[in-house]
Amino acid sequence: MCGIVGAVAKRNVVPILVQGLLRLEYRGYDSAGLVVVSDHKLHRVRSTGRVAELAEKSAHTTGNIGIAHTRWATHGVPSERNAHPHMSCDLIAVVHNGIIENYEELRTQLTAQGYIFGSDTDTEVIAHLIHSYYTNGHDLLGSTQAALAKLVGAYAIGVVAADNPQKLIGARKGSPLLLGVGEGEHFIASDMSALLQVTQKVVYLEEGDVVELALADYRIFDAKGVEVKRPVNISELNNESVELGEYQHYMQKEIHEQPQALANTLESVCNSQSLIPGIFGAEAADAFDQIDSILILACGTSHHAGMVARYWLEELAAIPCVVEIASEYRYRTSVANPRTLVVTISQSGETADTLAALNHAKAIGHLHTLAVCNVPESAIIRQSKLRLLTRAGPEIGVASTKAFTTQLAALFLLTLVLAKQRGKLDMQQEQQHLHDLRHLPSAVMAVLKLEPEIAKLAKQFADKHHALFLGRGLHYPIALEGALKLKEISYIHAEAYPAGELKHGPLALVDKDMPVVAVAPNDTLLEKLKSNLQEVRARGGELFVFADAETRIHSSEGVHVMQMPEHAGFLSPILHTIPLQLLAYYVALQKGTDVDKPRNLAKSVTVE
Ligand code: M6R
């Protein structure tokens, strides 16, 4: 959940570290810090605020080698003393992303050896451990390797020593870290967006790798300590894809990128005449032949995508499907069916709960695994047999938008491929679905035109403390997603219910101060939904309805109708997501919250 950057160069690395942290701020933003080595001393600057504050504080700091960190607090409150880098005896400095599970035991041992702790973090034990080996004759690489052998938990780290201005050590296990290769300079970072300012060349470090960076070269050692070569890749990302451009916030940019993100995700199928299992990997056809059910595991927004997929999979492919929150599944006793396809969904591919749920599923006997994910080199992709990459591009706003709609597109493809393989889809139906998918990006573009109208509507939410979201069937998860977006970035308490459930309790909450947002597609449940809306109106509730054309729901006293295009059939949930994203965004603007970095949250949740 934290972001780390490190650099060794002939130039001053402080601007590179700061610029890198700005790119990684989505990973955590409660404090930040950096350290550089110069004149055989560690020069550390830390701040409790955002990276911008650190940039000001470090404006006069210079050095050719350094490490930096932006934090999402796990152990110890956000404060300067808990901000990274952590140091041992002014000799060793460490930045860390992850959690050291045995830190209490190590802290006790190190305290007994005379080490004095200056923070409440788990990270500080790493600095003291490395120091203890370093002052006992090991070099920086050997000391780091020896210290890592004592750690239980997850880490990506960067290490420097005051008396060694030539070497920077990086290591990863369970948390992401990559190596950037420059001309006579080298870097480490949690993700590539931090390094696009200096290089496109990247080495994806593997689990357990330790890397020693110097100006001229670098050496990588695997988990067994054996020196290894890893391929140098050219990153497909460019600076433009991680810059704000004409938009006020990343969330707004990412909402508007959805037509392109969907087109990219669907590119391989939309350009072909038929659907083939091969899009999920070479072994997909065989695997799909062997399965009789689906288990979807995910968290947050990705879980909502799974909930939509369940409706599709059962209706179109006639395959039983269960969707579980990953953090619940991993700790519950469940019965593995080796004929189940376990599908994990994750934007980042590094969500700790989803990854652990995947590994738990494998451990209890599940054989078939498939990941729907936005990050090609992520742990979830690497640990799954089959995969479909969403090609949404980097998603930087903490509130997930384009990742969600592209996940839906990918899961719809999975549904169609399984339906076809199970004989539930004739050629005409297949062609119709492919036609609808090709049309999807322009359909989303049309819905985005509602933006000015939604911006006006949002003003009516700014003074509200609660909101209800209603949907039915396929659109119930969309109501859940709309409520999550609103609460996440505007801090308005929002809940979603299947509209038919209202009268079983939540209706008691409805009064003139409770706005009720309804997702109203023109589908078979429309008349039922209309009755539910009448129930709300009769109790004085104010309705905000996103209604498809021809639903015959009209604006009137206490009823505000946003006109959506014609009903898009099975793809309707994707279209109905867009106005709810925009609503949350404009309500947050009204409330003046930090849209891209809402309080207490971080983008990649790499801790339990
Ligand atoms: O990277 P993942 O898709 O695995 O992340 C899962 C959730 O943490 C994420 O969707 C979260 O709920 C978002 N902030 C929602 O906008």
Side-chain angles (χ1 to χ4, degrees), residues 299-302 345-349 351 354 398-400 407 484-485 488 603 605:
C299 303
T301 287
S302 299
I345 309 170
S346 175
Q347 186 286 129
S348 60
T351 299
T354 310
V398 164
S400 191
Q407 284 167 351
L484 177 62
K485 289 288 90 95
E488 186 173 30
K603 183 76 185 159
V605 188

Side-chain angles (χ1 to χ4, degrees), residues 183-199:
E183 299 294 326
E185 50 188 21
H186 293 101
F187 313 91
I188 51 168
S190 301
D191 91 32
M192 195 56 201
S193 61
L195 299 185
L196 293 172
Q197 51 165 330
V198 282
T199 186

Side-chain angles (χ1 to χ4, degrees), residues 99-103 105-106 148-155 173:
I99 286 190
I100 304 306
E101 289 166 18
N102 60 337
Y103 85 101
E105 179 193 329
L106 292 170
L148 295 179
K150 300 269 179 198
L151 304 181
V152 176
Y155 55 77
K173 188 175 154 219

